[in-house]
């Protein structure tokens, strides 16, 4: 019997390996899940990358972070964090100012408007996640989280 992935990809030949099949399954699933969240964020005129950056800054509020620190924490690596911050600053969702201790660094902080926008999005995004993954139930979600954690290979 063909898997959902094979049907979606219209796969007619076997995958080269189980690892390839799982890798493609993870990519395909991640892409599908991101579509749903992107639709929610589009209503707020935000990209998923902008949303990710704002959430990182909310987590660092009120201290703020440098561009490098934001880039290191991004879920999807983004090469031009400065340009991303420029767009968020133009919308008055963040501020940037020189670090008092080291004038070479800019500290980026989320603004009240940025916090308010995230607060408005919290419920719709959570509902989207529940629609997408809630059918799995707590045990399957915990199992999936453990499997994804085990598959995540990070440099030492």
């Amino acid at each position: 019997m063909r898997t959902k992935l094979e049907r979606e990809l219209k796969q007619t030949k076997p995958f080269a390996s189980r690892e390839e099949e799982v890798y493609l399954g993870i990519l395909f699933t991640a892409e599908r899940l991101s579509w749903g969240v992107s639709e929610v964020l589009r209503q707020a005129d935000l990209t998923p990358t902008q949303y990710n950056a704002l959430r990182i800054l909310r987590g660092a509020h009120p201290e703020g972070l440098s561009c490098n620190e934001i880039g290191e924490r991004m879920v999807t690596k983004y090469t031009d964090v400065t340009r991303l911050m420029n767009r968020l600053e133009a919308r008055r969702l963040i501020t940037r100012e020189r670090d008092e201790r080291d004038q070479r660094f800019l500290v980026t902080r989320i603004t009240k408007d940025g916090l308010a926008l995230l607060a408005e999005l919290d419920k719709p995004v959570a509902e989207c996640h529940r629609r997408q993954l809630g059918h799995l139930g707590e045990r399957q979600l915990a199992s999936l989280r453990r499997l994804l954690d085990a598959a995540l290979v990070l440099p030492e």
Side-chain angles (χ1 to χ4, degrees):
M1 187 164 116
R2 297 176 66 204
T3 65
K4 288 181 184 179
L5 180 63
E6 289 170 321
R7 289 192 303 272
E8 286 290 330
L9 298 179
K10 298 177 179 25
Q11 186 82 12
T12 58
K13 297 178 182 174
F15 291 101
S17 67
R18 180 71 69 205
E19 291 84 358
E20 177 188 57
E21 180 180 9
V22 170
Y23 172 78
L24 291 172
I26 290 170
L27 284 181
F28 186 83
T29 303
E31 184 67 21
R32 284 289 171 94
L33 293 173
S34 71
W35 289 352
V37 173
S38 292
E39 287 301 311
V40 172
L41 298 179
R42 190 168 298 136
Q43 296 169 21
D45 195 28
L46 278 182
T47 67
T49 305
Q50 291 170 333
Y51 177 70
N52 184 206
L54 288 174
R55 285 182 42 97
I56 289 167
L57 289 168
R58 178 171 64 179
H61 182 69
E63 292 83 13
L65 296 168
S66 71
C67 273
N68 284 345
E69 291 171 311
I70 295 166
E72 290 169 0
R73 296 178 186 199
M74 298 289 289
V75 172
T76 304
K77 296 306 173 198
Y78 191 75
T79 56
D80 197 352
V81 176
T82 301
R83 190 178 315 173
L84 174 66
M85 294 301 111
N86 289 344
R87 287 193 294 269
L88 293 173
E89 188 175 37
R91 290 186 61 188
R92 294 187 167 90
L93 299 175
I94 65 161
T95 61
R96 292 182 284 187
E97 56 193 46
R98 295 272 171 216
D99 187 309
E100 293 174 5
R101 294 167 298 210
D102 189 340
Q103 292 292 307
R104 295 173 296 172
F105 292 105
L106 284 175
V107 177
T108 305
R109 292 182 177 87
I110 192 166
T111 63
K112 287 181 183 177
D113 287 347
L115 290 169
L117 180 59
L118 286 182
E120 288 174 22
L121 290 169
D122 284 341
K123 187 176 178 183
V125 169
E127 288 171 355
C128 178
H129 293 322
R130 272 192 293 283
R131 279 191 310 274
Q132 293 173 323
L133 298 167
H135 67 283
L136 294 176
E138 189 56 40
R139 287 181 63 187
Q140 284 187 308
L141 286 170
S143 179
L144 179 56
R145 181 183 43 81
R146 282 190 301 275
L147 288 169
L148 291 170
D149 221 25
L152 186 61
V153 180
L154 296 174
E156 295 292 321

